[in-house]
Amino acid sequence: MLGRFSRCDSLSPNATILIVEDEPLIRLALIDMFEATGFVVLDAGDAFEAMALLDTHADSIGIMLTDIRLGDGPDGWDVARYARSRLEDLPIVFVSGDSAGDWREAGINRSVMLAKPVADGDLLAAVRTGLEQSSRQGD
């Protein structure tokens, strides 16, 4: 795992996560996992859907998890930049099979990059830590 989030066991109850993943089976597995751990889940299959959800639900999204390659159109970096234009302090977790090397170059601070395949526990830990750090910044 790359980035500044570390392992954390706390979980914000009923936090809302935006999952952006173009592979339907992966997206469904992520939805199931996060809902089972108490998250409210919004999901998008491409960048355009994600941006629309950011427009309509900006006040409730606590963290975003996004793949980098999202098919035709904007990619996960673009979604992250758009998200930050709407929600300056939104924690972002990137997950990618082949773009980890581009993470530092993308220049999206307060984010982490996890390389696929990633263990569920590591993914949950990154999201939990992002939420915890975000809530501390708001104090």
Side-chain angles (χ1 to χ4, degrees), residues 15-117:
T16 299
I17 183 170
L18 172 57
I19 296 172
V20 188
E21 171 60 60
D22 64 323
E23 295 292 332
L25 293 177
I26 295 172
R27 189 170 65 250
L28 289 172
L30 290 169
I31 292 167
D32 288 346
M33 179 179 69
F34 282 101
E35 285 180 343
T37 56
F39 282 85
V40 174
V41 176
L42 298 173
D43 68 285
D46 63 36
F48 297 112
E49 284 181 54
M51 291 176 192
L53 287 170
L54 285 159
D55 286 339
T56 57
H57 298 283
D59 58 337
S60 65
I61 297 171
I63 192 161
M64 184 173 73
L65 170 72
T66 186
D67 191 6
I68 301 302
R69 301 201 186 276
L70 299 171
D72 294 335
D75 60 19
W77 307 125
D78 296 321
V79 173
R81 288 183 189 98
Y82 185 80
R84 287 289 175 74
S85 75
R86 307 273 301 144
L87 301 163
E88 183 179 326
D89 295 324
L90 182 71
I92 299 172
V93 177
F94 294 103
V95 181
S96 181
D98 61 2
S99 298
D102 300 330
W103 174 69
R104 290 196 195 288
E105 199 172 292
I108 299 170
N109 59 358
R110 293 180 318 279
S111 69
V112 294
M113 167 62 80
L114 301 173
K116 289 180 182 176

Side-chain angles (χ1 to χ4, degrees), residues 95 114-123:
V95 181
L114 301 173
K116 289 180 182 176
V118 59
D120 290 353
D122 291 340
L123 190 54

